[in-house]
Amino acid sequence: METIPTNEERLAKLEGMGCSRKRYEDPRFIQGKGNYVDDVKMPGMLVGVMVRSPYAHARIKSIDTSRALAHPGVYAVLTAEDLKPLKLHWMPTLAGDVQAVLADGKVSFQNQEVAFVVAEDRYIAADAAELVEVEYDELPAVVDPMKALFPDAPIIREDIQDSKVGAHGVRTHPNHIFTWDIGDKDKTDRAFDNAEITVKQDMIYQRVHPCPLETCGCVASYDKIRGDLTVYITSQAPHVVRTVVGMLSSIPESKIRIISPDIGGGFGNKVGIYPGYVCAIVASIVLGRPVKWIESRTENLTTTAFARDYHMTGELAADKDGKIKALRVHVTADHGAFDACADPSKWPAGMFHVVTGSYDIPNAFVSVDGIYTNKCPGGVSYRCSFRVTEAVYLIERMVDVLAQKLGIDKAEIRFRNFLRKDQFPYQSALGLEFDSGDYEPALRKGLAAIDYPAMRAEQAAMRADPTSETLMGIGICTFTEIVGAGPSKSCDILGIGMFDSCEIRVHPDGSAIARMGTISQGQGHQTTYAQIIASEAGIPASLIKVEEGDTSTAPYGLGTYGSRSTPVAGAAIARASHKIREKARKIAAHLLEVSPDDLEFDLDRFVVKGAPDQAKTMKEVAWAAYNNVPEGMEMGLEAVDYYDPPNFTYPFGAYLCVLDVNRFSGETKVRRFYALDDCGTRINPMIIEGQIHGGLTEGFAVAMGQQLTYDEAGNVLGGTLMDYFLPTSMETPHWETDFTVTPSPHHPIGAKGVAESPHVGSIPCFTAAMVDAFAHLGVTHMNMPHNSFRVWQQSHALGIDQ
Ligand code: MCN
Ligand code: CUN
């Protein structure tokens, strides 16, 4: 007789939520068996290479493609003139602007796409690209968004120079894109007028780049006979790509198949649509052959979506005890030559209005001006949900500035202003509803973990010792994130609401296949999604195959960015699982000849209430679904769910950093970094920890070294990994992680996103620690990146470098 497994055995077999299940993906990745876009090889495949502008701003006098075309092995050279009859020389951007696919009469940033050479292989294409002769007339360039608004500034966008209204309202200068205001200006101004104390701080959040290990690329294949277009692409949102390609090409979406295979990191860089994709698709349609286009590292760093470039001024009004009364913010946002920012259509500064942070701030007003400059377009959020990094950076900096002005401890000022647990759901002054949070215990845990009083005492002793080479800084960041875009009423891309989806089909043997509208780029969805189904539908995770990224099989979804997969697709998965479970309940009831209400779901089976030996497992039910269902019921066991979330989720954390700074050399050592995260219900603790390590490392990179620098003429100075800082294990500090659990009240399993929190939270924490090292000398802010040279400059300016 079969022995019934114990509860523990059944639970272990399920590998459901809460279990640190090993990543299903890793065996293929660590054995080099991943399948990336550049691994796709098709018979007859050609390769395209871009000809790019050496100038940041120039008129194109002529383009001569004849020598390139005559080169053996070259099949085509596309220029704007070739795209014009197809109306594809410009394309719409996600921000309601247009962007040149291939330069139309002028170039507006260095390395802008000018021509596309298609040849037998990459070498031939690269050689022929050198033979394309472009005659330029250089124009003055402007790379500083403040100077771009000068009356005599060079006009970047001649195509729209006379239009007084853009996608987000009134434009006040040919280089001005929009002004976006939110909050109550009058009330906020009054609070400032009546305040006991006010502080003001300028800060620059430098231009950085997500720099995924795999660059962007695609293989487009048009089948002339069938009229089908297949595109393998490094996209974080394959369904959106399908819709956009359909709009641009007039091919019905039913004949377009977009496949995102394994992706070697996205970090926001793979959200947008780039000219290379359009050119590869056009070339394939024209030539009837598959065309591959893969960027080089420099192309990736200098022409695809950058992040940040926010020039911010923050002001706080408070009383003498440090209780904050109002926040006022102005941002000058450098969007580059075309407004290609990836944000929900209605919010040109994304979710920047989470800027009131973890604090109860009754009045707030924010104004953001978007500006064109002769720099690369983009403006994605690099590991942060739509401008949340910038917002959190600003408020965390401002709270510290206020604390310093009042002489209040930087932890204490947070305790005085935190939202209390009983204030949730909390309506912020900028119109958001924070779903849940419990900030005070998180910070208390963090302070205890690093023994904060002891650290402050050590710092005081060092400061008192004139011979000490080391300045010690302690940084605190108590951030609130906003992830899970989002309710379709406030978030859409090109008019499509930001819902997400899941489809589950249970096979007769009790195993299952599940497909979602999201796409993993390394987050481990194949592992964790199966865990949600395991817990919610009672099918062991090891028996569930999770598929994403193929638009011909996956249900429509908006993709993976903004840590939305768990908050949105995760909810769809839970709800589809519940639908499976409820149908299974009816089948089990039929098999056991009881009413469905008499059954209790118990891990992997239905048990008759009060008669525990009478049960049907999900496996037995799955079999019955295909041969013995109740009268009138459809056969089969499958479910689909499209989930439009009622709200965002608001993960939070308390981070602490202890830095030792050498005042002679500017060298910095991270002594401690403690990160406590709360992402509600935790699906896979090990994956969460991995995500946090990754996000912290990228935060360290941004704070300490990353910057896309441009000279006055618009030349990019950081276009290779020699100049652009990508930390290796050698530079990366040791991370200490911790957690609390405050479930989201509106999410079916209480889960919030986590992947971006460590990035959002760590960057201000590093700056806070850096500034704290110099705070006793009157320093209130230091702009990133905090590399040794810049830190030494600070030391030197204070006269303490020797
Ligand atoms: N998770 C969990 N429990 C939770 C929340 C999340 O176990 N309460 C798990 C999820 O199941 C998932 C992972 O953590 O496997 C991340 O989930 P989530 O926070 O929902 O974020 P997304 O899956 O939507 O991932 C997007 C996010 C973004 S926007 C960037 S940028 C980023 C990041 O993921 N890019 C990454 N992490 C990355 N990790 C890798 N390896 N590569 C990237 O490109
Ligand atoms: Cu915010 S970068 Mo991620 O959204 O892909």
Side-chain angles (χ1 to χ4, degrees):
M1 205 184 115
E2 194 199 352
T3 52
I4 298 174
T6 64
N7 268 10
E8 286 72 36
E9 284 165 348
R10 285 157 57 208
L11 204 57
K13 182 154 184 241
L14 277 179
E15 295 187 290
M17 293 195 284
C19 150
S20 283
R21 181 181 184 224
K22 282 199 179 151
R23 281 170 45 111
Y24 168 85
E25 293 85 347
D26 285 353
R28 80 171 183 275
F29 289 151
I30 59 180
Q31 293 178 68
K33 297 279 164 52
N35 189 29
Y36 300 90
V37 167
D38 205 15
D39 294 323
V40 175
K41 295 193 176 63
M42 296 177 112
M45 187 176 79
L46 305 172
V47 177
V49 164
M50 278 290 178
V51 176
R52 297 181 178 277
S53 165
Y55 298 109
H57 202 192
R59 220 169 284 293
I60 296 178
K61 287 168 71 181
S62 64
I63 304 177
D64 183 354
T65 59
S66 55
R67 284 180 64 209
L69 274 168
H71 191 70
V74 172
Y75 282 73
V77 181
L78 300 178
T79 65
E81 293 308 313
D82 301 304
L83 299 180
K84 268 181 196 167
L86 307 167
K87 297 201 169 59
L88 285 175
H89 52 312
W90 290 81
M91 63 178 183
T93 68
L94 294 176
D97 195 0
V98 288
Q99 172 176 358
V101 173
L102 293 173
D104 183 17
K106 73 179 253 187
V107 287
S108 305
F109 67 95
Q110 190 181 49
N111 286 353
Q112 187 179 335
E113 300 77 9
V114 175
F116 189 69
V117 178
V118 185
E120 232 159 68
D121 64 36
R122 194 177 174 105
Y123 303 100
I124 298 175
D127 286 347
E130 304 260 303
L131 300 175
V132 175
E133 285 163 22
V134 188
E135 215 185 323
Y136 296 97
D137 231 350
E138 200 178 350
L139 297 167
V142 58
V143 294
D144 178 336
M146 309 295 179
K147 291 184 185 161
L149 290 185
F150 288 176
D152 57 348
I155 294 175
I156 296 161
R157 293 290 300 280
E158 288 163 9
D159 57 311
I160 51 166
Q161 77 180 80
D162 296 323
S163 65
K164 301 275 180 259
V165 179
H168 304 289
V170 176
R171 302 172 62 219
T172 56
H173 182 286
N175 293 333
H176 179 242
I177 313 172
F178 63 82
T179 300
W180 183 66
D181 291 342
I182 188 162
D184 190 328
K185 184 169 188 313
D186 292 341
K187 261 180 74 193
T188 305
D189 288 348
R190 272 203 304 280
F192 270 89
D193 292 343
N194 299 327
E196 289 176 9
I197 190 152
T198 63
V199 287
K200 183 172 183 172
Q201 182 70 54
D202 292 328
M203 58 194 85
I204 298 176
Y205 205 134
Q206 79 274 23
R207 183 176 270 240
V208 292
H209 192 280
C211 197
L213 281 189
E214 179 202 27
T215 60
C216 298
C218 70
V219 178
S221 174
Y222 184 69
D223 181 330
K224 279 198 165 168
I225 308 293
R226 294 194 176 81
D228 287 349
L229 174 68
T230 304
V231 186
Y232 292 85
I233 189 169
T234 51
S235 175
Q236 294 180 230
H239 282 95
V240 178
V241 173
R242 189 181 75 191
T243 301
V244 173
V245 170
M247 282 174 181
L248 293 177
S249 67
S250 307
I251 300 173
E253 284 192 63
S254 57
K255 285 183 168 289
I256 304 172
R257 181 176 183 192
I258 307 293
I259 302 170
S260 278
D262 285 330
I263 295 185
F267 308 114
N269 183 239
K270 291 169 178 165
V271 171
I273 308 268
Y274 299 123
Y277 302 151
V278 179
C279 290
I281 291 170
V282 171
S284 176
I285 293 174
V286 171
L287 297 167
R289 303 255 301 248
V291 176
K292 177 186 276 187
W293 169 72
I294 305 277
E295 289 174 335
S296 68
R297 174 61 57 197
T298 296
E299 289 179 295
N300 179 255
L301 276 172
T302 62
T303 72
T304 58
F306 73 93
R308 329 283 153 84
D309 218 343
Y310 258 33
H311 301 240
M312 309 187 277
T313 303
E315 293 174 89
L316 283 179
D319 66 19
K320 288 203 189 67
D321 298 329
K323 183 84 189 76
I324 302 169
K325 302 293 179 193
L327 167 70
R328 203 157 51 190
V329 184
H330 181 261
V331 180
T332 301
D334 184 340
H335 284 209
F338 307 97
D339 188 8
C341 285
D343 288 313
S345 313
K346 289 187 188 105
W347 289 335
M351 268 92 91
F352 188 81
H353 47 310
V354 74
V355 67
T356 52
S358 307
Y359 314 106
D360 191 4
I361 303 182
N363 304 293
F365 177 71
V366 171
S367 180
V368 180
D369 281 299
I371 312 292
Y372 290 123
T373 59
N374 289 113
K375 286 148 90 177
C376 165
V380 288
S381 31
Y382 160 18
R383 207 165 184 144
C384 103
S385 174
F386 310 110
R387 304 293 187 183
V388 176
T389 10
E390 291 90 324
V392 168
Y393 191 79
L394 183 120
I395 187 64
E396 289 302 301
R397 291 279 52 245
M398 290 315 299
V399 168
D400 277 9
V401 171
L402 178 66
Q404 265 177 242
K405 171 114 179 190
L406 291 169
I408 299 174
D409 178 85
K410 288 166 181 166
E412 176 57 28
I413 197 155
R414 287 173 163 79
F415 288 125
R416 290 188 196 172
N417 287 287
F418 272 152
L419 292 169
R420 295 183 320 271
K421 193 179 181 179
D422 61 12
Q423 284 176 284
F424 292 94
Y426 171 79
Q427 302 293 331
S428 84
L430 296 175
L432 293 169
E433 184 181 296
F434 289 35
D435 66 344
S436 62
D438 194 3
Y439 303 145
E440 191 189 317
L443 181 54
R444 292 223 184 275
K445 239 179 142 180
L447 295 173
I450 69 156
D451 196 351
Y452 187 66
M455 289 293 141
R456 284 286 178 212
E458 186 182 338
Q459 183 187 48
M462 269 188 192
R463 286 176 176 176
D465 173 6
T467 65
S468 173
E469 262 185 51
T470 308
L471 300 172
M472 185 182 158
I474 304 166
I476 302 176
C477 173
T478 44
F479 64 94
T480 293
E481 253 261 73
I482 167 171
V483 301
S488 63
K489 61 177 188 294
S490 41
C491 295
D492 72 280
I493 296 183
L494 300 168
I496 302 167
M498 286 171 115
F499 63 87
D500 229 289
S501 59
C502 169
E503 193 181 281
I504 304 172
R505 188 176 306 155
V506 183
H507 305 310
D509 68 353
S511 67
I513 181 160
R515 295 179 169 124
M516 296 80 183
T518 49
I519 170 76
S520 185
Q521 308 124 42
Q523 294 88 349
H525 291 174
Q526 288 186 310
T527 308
T528 50
Y529 284 176
Q531 293 182 254
I532 301 177
I533 302 172
S535 288
E536 301 302 295
I539 300 167
S542 61
L543 298 181
I544 300 162
K545 179 172 181 172
V546 172
E547 271 187 13
E548 301 174 290
D550 182 341
T551 60
S552 285
T553 53
Y556 203 106
L558 276 281
T560 291
Y561 42 83
S563 303
R564 65 187 297 280
S565 304
T566 304
V568 192
I573 298 166
R575 297 205 318 177
S577 303
H578 297 161
K579 290 176 189 173
I580 296 274
R581 196 171 74 194
E582 288 322 299
K583 181 166 182 184
R585 177 191 298 277
K586 291 190 185 123
I587 297 172
H590 165 71
L591 298 176
L592 292 162
E593 296 176 0
V594 294
S595 147
D597 296 339
D598 294 335
L599 293 179
E600 227 162 40
F601 183 67
D602 176 27
L603 294 176
D604 58 353
R605 64 194 61 206
F606 290 95
V607 181
V608 177
K609 286 177 192 162
D613 54 333
Q614 283 194 57
K616 285 288 168 197
T617 63
M618 278 301 290
K619 190 177 163 70
E620 290 167 310
V621 170
W623 184 255
Y626 292 88
N627 63 38
N628 182 11
V629 295
E631 183 90 23
M633 180 187 270
E634 269 180 62
M635 288 260 176
L637 189 54
E638 58 182 79
V640 186
D641 194 81
Y642 287 83
Y643 185 73
D644 181 6
N647 189 5
F648 298 93
T649 66
Y650 293 77
F652 63 92
Y655 289 6
L656 291 110
C657 172
V658 183
L659 275 188
D660 289 318
V661 182
N662 184 304
R663 65 187 166 99
F664 299 146
S665 66
E667 280 168 301
T668 305
K669 198 172 175 316
V670 179
R671 195 198 301 185
R672 299 282 297 268
F673 199 103
Y674 169 90
L676 177 148
D677 273 279
D678 191 317
C679 58
T681 305
R682 289 151 48 93
I683 298 157
N684 183 321
M686 184 176 68
I687 285 197
I688 291 174
E689 192 174 18
Q691 286 291 311
I692 289 169
H693 281 202
L696 293 173
T697 304
E698 285 181 305
F700 171 73
V702 168
M704 297 311 200
Q706 292 188 336
Q707 180 167 29
L708 277 179
T709 325
Y710 287 78
D711 70 11
E712 286 288 309
N715 297 303
V716 192
L717 304 179
T720 73
L721 293 185
M722 290 299 287
D723 318 291
Y724 191 76
F725 176 53
L726 213 57
T728 66
S729 59
M730 296 299 287
E731 295 88 19
T732 304
H734 173 72
W735 309 118
E736 302 165 49
T737 59
D738 200 350
F739 67 98
T740 53
V741 176
T742 310
S744 167
H746 59 78
H747 188 281
I749 50 172
K752 303 179 179 183
V754 75
E756 296 168 313
S757 298
H759 194 70
V760 168
S762 63
I763 296 167
C765 194
F766 283 114
T767 298
M770 187 56 80
V771 173
D772 190 65
F774 293 96
H776 58 301
L777 304 168
V779 175
T780 55
H781 180 67
M782 289 161 70
N783 279 325
M784 297 181 286
H786 307 301
N787 59 40
S788 302
F789 178 59
R790 292 168 60 106
V791 174
W792 172 82
Q793 282 179 312
Q794 178 65 266
S795 208
H796 184 67
L798 294 166
I800 54 164
D801 58 324
Q802 42 195 305

